[in-house]
């Protein structure tokens, strides 16, 4: 299986605790594919695939512990040596250990066809071995026990309300399998507010909080309301001194699909009060992990915006480390004598007066023409600016081509007298090579290999390159456009006016 693999690694009092996803396929019902799944065990029955999360023979869907003694051992360990801390997880993507209360919080990403499939679980006395065995979070027998967050706030239980839960139950019944019987009996007793009967799994635990559909924070109904999808990607309790009091000691969680970070108020016992709505802290951010740094500040990886975020109370930021030295003054650019022959750009042509590119017919029937990429002065009522253009005009000349013809276009790079700027080695994935160019015919169905429409072609300042375009006889007529496409200077050159219309 290719989905829902390992989740998180954390340390609890010198022990290594790690989580494993169920390893099942998510696009189809996966009870184990004998001929397709390399992890399928032919002798271990029909309840594999997603059901491995409930079976002790498999590591899938488990949270496990390697003790400090095991970590220091030179013996190769097997799953029989490892303590199964809990089972019944789908994708326990993130975990957080709150040392002050010896609690393990678990964020489990759900299947997604119900209203409360994203679930947060909590395990008490997490540093100690449970003499009764592994806790059970219920997957795949059950996910959420409510239909949506609104019903959860009202305490209106509604287990097994999703098609996937019902499909899995039907499969077990049809094949005479009792894989989920212990969970089913426990859930029934829970719903009826009864003691668990002997046939129930005594270690099944309902989620501390569950969500997917509905407004999580009614005070901000316009935020975090993407009801179609969700992915619980981080759980954390900050017990430090660098965050505002309203966030300290509170359960914080994030969802990178809904793009929000929330926290719960605490009840009178100092525990998360999940009977009330959580509060939005940050919107439009996709946090996937949070950790406290050596400076006592809370850091988060924002996957959505590709950044690391540092959070602390204003005026109480990092102060335990040495101050970062002030930035050095940028070096002064070398003297540059600007060319004095920069022409004024032509622009603001009427709709039927834009100059056209000139082609010359050759003896072999093909056409040839010259296009110059160079510096121009662009003057309006607002002032004067220096930019780049084709054939000293903005936009460039209209290029006309016809199907069944061959065209040779000479592109001259007339920026030999201008500074080269940063190179690719110095500014990877940034603005670079401002004087290097090439040409892309946007929308045409022609060869993308040199000397055709190859966007990797490099034309250095002062050089000329001849493109050859063979227009297929079945090419659709239409209006297209052309522009530079050298990676690093594409936006700089195109947005500055180096573009034109192309008509087939």
């Amino acid at each position: 299986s290719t989905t829902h693999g390992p989740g998180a690694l954390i340390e609890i009092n010198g022990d290594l605790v790690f989580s494993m996803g169920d390893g099942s396929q998510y696009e189809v019902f996966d009870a184990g594919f004998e001929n397709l799944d390399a992890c399928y065990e032919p002798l271990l029955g029909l309840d594999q695939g997603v059901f491995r999360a409930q079976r002790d023979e498999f590591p899938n869907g488990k949270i496990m512990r390697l003790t400090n003694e095991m970590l220091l051992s030179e013996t190769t360990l097997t799953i029989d040596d490892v303590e199964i801390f809990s089972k019944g997880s789908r994708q326990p993507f993130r975990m957080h250990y709150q040392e002050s209360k010896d609690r393990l919080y678990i964020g489990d990403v759900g299947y997604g066809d119900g209203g409360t499939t994203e679930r947060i679980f909590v395990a008490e006395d997490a540093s100690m071995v449970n003499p009764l065995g592994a806790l059970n979070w219920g997957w795949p027998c059950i996910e959420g026990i409510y239909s949506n967050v609104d019903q959860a706030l009202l305490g209106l239980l509604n287990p097994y309300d999703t098609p996937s839960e019902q499909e899995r139950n039907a499969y077990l019944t049809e094949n005479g399998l009792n894989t989920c019987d212990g969970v089913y009996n426990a859930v029934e007793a829970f719903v009826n507010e009864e003691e668990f009967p002997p046939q129930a799994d005594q270690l099944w635990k309902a989620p501390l909080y569950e969500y997917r559909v509905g407004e999580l924070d009614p005070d901000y109904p316009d935020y975090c309301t993407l009801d179609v999808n969700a992915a619980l990607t981080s759980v954390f309790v900050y017990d430090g001194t660098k965050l505002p009091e309203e966030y300290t000691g509170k359960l914080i969680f994030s969802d990178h699909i809904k793009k929000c970070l929330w926290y719960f108020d605490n009840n009178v016992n100092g525990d998360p009060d999940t009977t009330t709505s959580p509060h939005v802290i940050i919107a439009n951010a996709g946090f996937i992990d949070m950790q406290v740094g050596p400076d006592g500040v809370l850091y988060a990886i924002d996957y959505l915006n590709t950044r690391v975020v540092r959070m602390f109370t204003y005026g109480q930021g990092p102060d335990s480390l040495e101050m970062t030295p002030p930035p050095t003054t940028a070096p002064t650019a070398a003297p540059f004598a600007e060319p004095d022959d920069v022409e004024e750009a032509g622009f603001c042509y009427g709709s039927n007066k834009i100059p056209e590119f000139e082609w010359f017919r050759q003896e072999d029937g093909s056409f040839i023409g010259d296009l110059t990429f160079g510096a121009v002065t662009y003057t309006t009522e607002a002032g004067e600016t220096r930019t780049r253009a084709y054939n000293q005009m903005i936009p460039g000349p209209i290029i006309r081509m016809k199907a069944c013809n061959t065209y040779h276009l000479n592109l001259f790079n007339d920026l030999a007298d201008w500074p080269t700027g940063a190179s690719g080695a110095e500014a990877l994935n940034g603005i670079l090579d401002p004087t290097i160019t090439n040409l892309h015919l946007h929308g045409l169905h022609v060869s993308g290999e040199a000397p055709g429409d190859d966007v990797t072609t490099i034309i250095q300042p002062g050089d000329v390159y001849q493109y050859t375009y063979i227009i297929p006889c079945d090419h659709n007529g239409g209006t297209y456009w052309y522009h530079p496409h050298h990676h690093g200077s594409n936006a700089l050159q195109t947005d500055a006016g180096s573009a034109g219309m192309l008509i087939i």
Side-chain angles (χ1 to χ4, degrees):
S1 297
T2 58
T3 62
H4 309 139
L9 287 166
I10 63 172
E11 182 264 336
I12 298 180
N13 290 353
D15 297 339
L16 180 66
V17 177
F18 60 99
S19 60
M20 298 279 287
D22 71 2
S24 70
Q25 302 291 328
Y26 66 89
E27 294 181 340
V28 295
F29 171 50
D30 181 1
F33 299 105
E34 184 172 2
N35 297 322
L36 299 176
D37 189 348
C39 298
Y40 188 85
E41 296 287 348
L43 301 180
L44 292 183
L46 299 176
D47 50 345
Q48 297 190 44
V50 69
F51 295 109
R52 291 178 297 197
Q54 285 293 322
R55 299 186 57 182
D56 294 344
E57 303 97 317
F58 299 96
N60 309 79
K62 310 297 191 302
I63 295 175
M64 293 173 280
R65 186 197 327 252
L66 288 171
T67 65
N68 183 261
E69 291 77 11
M70 292 178 182
L71 295 173
L72 297 176
S73 172
E74 297 182 358
T75 303
T76 300
L77 303 174
T78 69
I79 188 174
D80 295 328
D81 302 313
V82 179
E83 176 203 344
I84 298 179
F85 180 88
S86 69
K87 61 183 179 180
S89 294
R90 180 177 182 269
Q91 178 61 82
F93 186 71
R94 284 290 178 260
M95 300 185 293
H96 171 69
Y97 177 60
Q98 185 184 13
E99 184 176 5
S100 62
K101 296 196 174 183
D102 197 17
R103 284 179 180 159
L104 180 65
Y105 289 96
I106 302 153
D108 199 8
V109 180
Y111 184 74
D113 64 338
T116 55
T117 56
E118 307 304 304
R119 292 144 299 130
I120 299 175
F121 296 98
V122 61
E124 305 288 350
D125 303 322
S127 65
M128 296 181 284
V129 175
N130 189 338
L132 300 178
L135 299 173
N136 193 342
W137 311 124
W139 172 263
C141 315
I142 189 171
E143 279 199 281
I145 56 177
Y146 301 100
S147 292
N148 54 55
V149 293
D150 297 325
Q151 291 192 11
L153 291 174
L154 297 173
L156 301 177
L157 296 166
N158 190 25
Y160 314 119
D161 64 330
T162 69
S164 63
E165 289 171 316
Q166 295 161 17
E167 182 179 25
R168 293 189 290 270
N169 179 280
Y171 175 85
L172 295 174
T173 301
E174 291 170 4
N175 289 278
L177 300 169
N178 63 359
T179 315
C180 287
D181 285 2
V183 172
Y184 292 153
N185 287 314
V187 172
E188 181 180 3
F190 180 84
V191 171
N192 295 328
E193 299 182 353
E194 300 172 348
E195 291 188 6
F196 284 8
Q199 65 270 28
D201 188 327
Q202 306 295 314
L203 296 176
W204 173 77
K205 301 292 182 183
L208 174 68
Y209 181 70
E210 54 188 67
Y211 73 95
R212 190 181 185 91
V213 175
E215 296 176 0
L216 273 68
D217 184 354
D219 292 334
Y220 295 94
D222 296 330
Y223 294 99
C224 324
T225 56
L226 181 61
D227 286 347
V228 177
N229 292 306
L232 174 58
T233 47
S234 195
V235 289
F236 203 87
V237 177
Y238 179 78
D239 282 330
T241 61
K242 302 293 185 179
L243 284 183
E245 184 178 353
E246 62 182 311
Y247 306 139
T248 301
K250 309 294 178 62
L251 176 60
I252 301 172
F253 69 101
S254 63
D255 188 306
H256 97 89
I257 296 294
K258 291 187 180 293
K259 305 175 185 178
C260 273
L261 181 74
W262 302 264
Y263 77 95
F264 285 102
D265 290 322
N266 283 344
N267 58 27
V268 294
N269 297 320
D271 301 327
D273 185 2
T274 56
T275 64
T276 60
S277 299
H279 308 287
V280 173
I281 302 176
I282 299 174
N284 298 316
F287 288 4
I288 61 170
D289 198 10
M290 291 182 281
Q291 297 291 336
V292 174
D295 50 11
V297 169
L298 182 61
Y299 289 84
I301 298 175
D302 183 357
Y303 180 82
L304 175 67
N305 299 299
T306 59
R307 60 181 180 172
V308 175
V309 178
R310 183 167 63 187
M311 295 172 281
F312 55 89
T313 303
Y314 181 76
Q316 298 182 22
D319 55 11
S320 60
L321 302 178
E322 294 183 6
M323 294 295 293
T324 302
T328 57
T329 304
T332 303
F336 167 67
E338 183 176 307
D340 56 9
D341 58 349
V342 179
E343 298 187 20
E344 185 76 25
F347 63 98
C348 291
Y349 302 99
S351 59
N352 60 348
K353 296 181 181 179
I354 300 177
E356 297 199 6
F357 184 78
E358 190 172 8
W359 292 109
F360 298 92
R361 189 179 182 89
Q362 303 189 107
E363 293 183 359
D364 62 358
S366 66
F367 295 84
I368 192 169
D370 296 337
L371 187 68
T372 299
F373 172 76
V376 295
T377 298
Y378 182 74
T379 305
T380 68
E381 294 180 355
E384 178 182 296
T385 188
R386 189 63 44 76
T387 186
R388 303 158 181 80
Y390 288 122
N391 287 6
Q392 292 81 48
M393 52 186 293
I394 299 175
I398 295 176
I399 297 178
R400 294 185 183 271
M401 296 177 169
K402 291 184 178 180
C404 285
N405 284 326
T406 298
Y407 297 87
H408 305 285
L409 188 150
N410 297 316
L411 180 59
F412 293 83
N413 185 345
D414 196 25
L415 295 179
D417 296 330
W418 296 85
T420 58
S423 69
E426 297 167 339
L428 182 64
N429 291 331
I431 299 297
L432 54 95
D433 299 337
T435 58
I436 295 177
T437 195
N438 60 21
L439 188 66
H440 173 49
L441 308 188
H442 198 114
L444 265 61
H445 293 272
V446 295
S447 172
E449 297 182 356
D453 189 32
D454 183 359
V455 297
T456 65
T457 296
I458 292 177
I459 306 175
Q460 296 284 353
D463 288 353
V464 60
Y465 182 83
Q466 185 175 93
Y467 286 94
T468 298
Y469 305 114
I470 301 173
I471 312 300
C473 294
D474 60 351
H475 199 294
N476 290 334
T479 302
Y480 306 94
W481 67 300
Y482 62 93
H483 61 86
H485 207 297
H486 177 65
H487 292 181
S489 60
N490 181 352
L492 176 69
Q493 297 173 4
T494 303
D495 294 350
S498 302
M501 187 181 301
L502 193 159
I503 300 174
I504 299 293

